[in-house]
């Protein structure tokens, strides 16, 4: 005989919570089918599903560029791998903390943010996260389309000589558009299609990266030349000014997912699945992929006299059609794998949260695709300095600030206990002042200024003043993610100290 709760609903054997029937308000400003909690029977993702998700997301061209970019900045392979491994161990902690709400309540990131920012205020972190994701979607799609263009040009010839439109060959734009359509077609089929795609894409991309490593090792005459490329920075005074902003940049790369990881963990079969899946999938995969990247980049330096930090450009040097086609498919799968998971799922939910009555998950995904093209973000990957220090540093500071507030609210203020129906009701405990929580807004403003106010660029290397936007904050700029997270966490906790530990009924 099945056990039941006093209300007559089936009892759930762990701490997972369902929305009681009829308890969610029908207010279209805050509710649609995509924002409601996932029913327990549909929370089926296992440890393997989460690990495969991370393997698929970690093995992509921009994360390859992270590691190879550090080599281009002067690090040797040991320094680059150390930097990336440490960053991913650090970012795993907020990933697990914010991910906890997913299996327990079945809610996406923008709904979780309502507990701290308010039902209306949640649109602030949601739109920041959506804007970042749209930019990343454009970057990834451009890189993927560019990769297809370069490799097809090697296979068929003449593509690079095609008539130019907007400064680029029309064949490049064709590759870009076709790749864009393919990505949106997959995500339009929903989260279950994404889960199935990630399950087989993850091992395929690993094989592709290993093949590239073996190929460059054979070209270099063995693994020795890949390991003996010296550091241009050493371990002294020249190393640390590069290490700390690089570390923050590496953290910032996945700080986006440390906010919206509930978008995925809400489908988890339990806490064990998301904790072990993420722990096995994120730091290990990123570290191993970083090792592959720096070894291949070091090998390219040994073979070609200069480091080739773009894997597509390196793969284009293959001298047989089979190798080129294999590289083409690997680039295609790797880029789709990360882009639809990391950069379409989140803004689709975030935009749905902004206007639930007119925007659902699929509509949000299409809007993301359009915005990602319109903002033309490919300029951000032109140099390692602009990519790692400017783009990732600025993004990391703001997203770290939001993460600090979410963690403080869920773990310190509420001790993981939420009023689930109240997250959808304007007359509930998360309405605060007109739908906004002043404490969260103030903590975000202060943390954000401290995190990014000192942003600076070397002369001719970026958009910021050499002395920083706010000169006296310049020393904090290299630690933006950590500064934003700690400052907002502490301030929010203090401001909310007078409230009840839980809003549970």
């Amino acid at each position: 005989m099945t056990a039941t709760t006093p209300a007559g609903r089936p009892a759930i054997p762990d701490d997972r919570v369902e929305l009681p029937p009829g308890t969610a308000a029908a207010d279209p400003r805050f509710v649609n089918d995509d924002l409601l909690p996932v029913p327990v029977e549909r929370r089926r993702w296992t440890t393997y599903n989460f690990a495969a998700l991370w393997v698929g997301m970690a093995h992509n061209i921009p994360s390859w560029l992270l590691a190879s970019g550090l080599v281009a900045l002067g690090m040797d392979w040991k320094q680059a791998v150390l930097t990336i491994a440490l960053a991913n161990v650090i970012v795993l902690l907020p990933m697990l903390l914010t991910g906890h709400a997913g299996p327990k309540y079945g809610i996406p990131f923008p709904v979780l943010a309502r507990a701290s920012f308010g039902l209306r205020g949640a649109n602030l972190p949601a739109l920041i996260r959506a804007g970042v994701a749209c930019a990343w979607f454009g970057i990834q799609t451009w890189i993927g389309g560019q990769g297809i263009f370069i490799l097809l040009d090697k296979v068929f010839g003449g593509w690079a000589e095609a008539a130019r439109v907007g400064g680029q060959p029309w064949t490049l734009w064709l590759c870009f558009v076709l790749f864009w359509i393919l990505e949106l077609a997959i995500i339009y089929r929903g989260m279950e299609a994404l889960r199935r795609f990630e399950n087989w894409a993850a091992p395929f991309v690993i094989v592709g990266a290993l093949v590239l490593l073996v190929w460059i090792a054979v070209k270099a005459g063995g693994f020795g030349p890949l390991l003996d490329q010296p550091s241009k920075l050493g371990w002294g005074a020249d190393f640390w000014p590069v290490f700390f902003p690089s570390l923050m940049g590496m953290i910032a790369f996945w700080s986006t997912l440390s906010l919206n990881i509930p978008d995925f963990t809400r489908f988890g079969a339990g806490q064990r699945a998301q904790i072990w899946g993420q722990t096995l999938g994120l730091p290990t995969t990123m570290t191993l992929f970083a090792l592959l990247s720096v070894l291949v980049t070091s090998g390219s330096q040994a073979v070609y006299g200069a480091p080739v930090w773009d894997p597509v450009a390196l793969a284009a040097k293959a001298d047989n059609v089979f190798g080129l086609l294999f590289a083409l498919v690997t680039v295609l799968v790797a880029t789709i794998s990360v882009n639809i998971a990391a950069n379409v799922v989140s803004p689709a939910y975030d935009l749905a949260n902004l206007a639930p009555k007119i925007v659902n998950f699929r509509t949000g995904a299409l809007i993301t695709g359009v915005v990602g093209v319109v903002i033309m973000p490919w300029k951000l990957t032109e140099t390692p300095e602009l990519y790692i220090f400017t783009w990732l540093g600025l993004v990391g500071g703001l997203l770290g600030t939001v993460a600090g507030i979410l963690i403080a609210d869920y773990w310190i203020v509420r001790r993981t206990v939420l009023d689930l129906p109240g997250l959808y009701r304007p007359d509930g405990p998360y309405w605060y002042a007109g739908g906004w929580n002043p404490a969260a807004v103030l903590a975000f403003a202060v943390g954000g200024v401290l995190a990014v106010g000192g942003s600076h660029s070397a002369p001719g290397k970026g958009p910021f003043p050499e002395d920083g936007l706010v000169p006296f904050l310049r020393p904090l700029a290299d630690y933006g993610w950590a500064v934003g997270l700690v400052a907002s966490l502490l301030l929010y906790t203090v401001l909310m100290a007078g409230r009840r530990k839980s809003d549970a009924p």
Side-chain angles (χ1 to χ4, degrees), residues 25-44:
D27 191 329
R29 295 176 299 168
F30 307 111
V31 180
N32 69 17
D33 290 341
D34 295 312
L35 296 177
L36 286 171
V38 175
V40 168
E41 65 269 15
R42 287 178 48 211
R43 302 179 201 174
R44 299 194 299 262

Side-chain angles (χ1 to χ4, degrees), residues 119-493:
L119 268 71
R120 286 175 171 162
N123 287 315
L124 172 62
L127 288 179
I128 291 172
R129 174 64 184 94
V132 171
C134 289
W136 271 122
F137 178 82
I139 291 173
Q140 292 268 17
T141 304
W142 178 255
I143 290 175
Q146 199 172 38
I148 296 170
F149 167 77
I150 291 173
L151 295 174
L152 288 180
D153 179 59
K154 289 286 292 185
V155 173
F156 300 110
W159 283 51
E161 285 72 46
R164 292 186 171 265
V165 177
Q168 302 289 350
W170 70 265
T171 45
L172 174 56
W173 293 112
L174 175 64
C175 292
F176 173 62
V177 171
L178 291 176
F179 189 63
W180 178 80
I181 292 173
L182 177 60
E183 290 176 312
L184 292 186
I186 293 174
I187 197 62
Y188 194 77
R189 296 179 63 86
M191 290 295 291
E192 187 62 22
L194 171 62
R195 182 180 69 87
R196 292 195 299 266
F197 178 80
E198 295 290 353
N199 283 347
W200 69 264
F204 180 86
V205 174
I206 292 175
V207 172
L210 290 172
V211 168
L212 188 59
L213 174 64
V214 171
W215 171 69
I216 197 66
V218 171
K219 297 275 288 186
F223 285 96
L226 279 61
L227 298 172
D228 63 8
Q229 298 299 316
S231 170
K232 297 177 182 177
L233 303 174
W235 289 95
D238 292 334
F239 174 70
W240 301 109
V242 175
F243 170 75
F244 285 111
S246 296
L247 180 67
M248 292 299 108
M250 302 304 106
I251 292 173
F253 189 75
W254 289 126
S255 65
T256 50
L257 267 294
S258 70
L259 295 187
N260 75 286
I261 195 64
D263 293 345
F264 302 95
T265 61
R266 68 193 299 229
F267 297 95
Q271 296 299 341
R272 182 182 179 88
Q274 74 102 1
I275 290 172
W276 279 106
Q278 294 203 80
T279 302
L280 294 173
L282 172 58
T284 54
T285 302
M286 279 296 290
T287 301
L288 290 174
F289 197 57
L291 181 60
L292 283 173
S293 172
V294 297
L295 289 179
V296 171
T297 305
S298 295
S300 70
Q301 185 170 348
V303 173
Y304 301 108
V308 182
W309 76 307
D310 184 344
V312 174
L314 184 60
K317 295 180 180 291
D319 49 11
N320 64 81
V321 173
F322 174 79
L324 286 166
L325 290 176
F326 182 79
L328 172 64
V329 175
T330 302
V331 167
L332 190 72
V333 173
T335 307
I336 291 176
S337 179
V338 67
N339 216 14
I340 60 178
N343 302 320
V344 178
V345 172
S346 172
Y349 284 125
D350 297 337
L351 293 168
N353 186 70
L354 180 65
K357 187 176 181 179
I358 59 175
V359 179
N360 59 19
F361 180 83
R362 287 181 170 86
T363 307
L366 294 176
I367 294 173
T368 299
V370 173
V371 174
V373 173
V374 169
I375 60 179
M376 298 183 292
W378 44 80
K379 292 282 187 182
L380 294 172
T381 58
E382 283 187 338
T383 67
E385 292 87 359
L386 192 62
Y387 179 49
I388 293 175
F389 295 158
T390 301
W391 166 241
L392 290 178
L394 185 65
V395 165
L398 292 177
L399 297 183
T401 302
V402 175
I405 295 171
L406 294 182
I407 293 169
D409 183 80
Y410 184 70
W411 286 95
I412 301 175
V413 175
R414 309 190 190 280
R415 306 294 175 86
T416 77
V417 179
L418 300 175
D419 179 351
L420 187 56
L423 291 169
Y424 300 91
R425 296 199 325 263
D427 59 346
Y430 309 115
W431 187 245
Y432 299 108
W436 291 78
N437 183 1
V441 175
L442 179 59
F444 174 77
V446 173
V449 170
L450 292 176
V452 305
S455 297
H456 58 91
S457 302
K461 296 291 186 179
F464 302 119
E466 185 176 357
D467 294 332
L469 293 171
V470 182
F472 75 90
L473 294 179
R474 189 180 189 277
L476 301 179
D478 290 346
Y479 315 94
W481 179 84
V483 168
L485 186 144
V486 172
S488 64
L489 185 150
L490 294 176
L491 180 56
Y492 182 84
T493 301

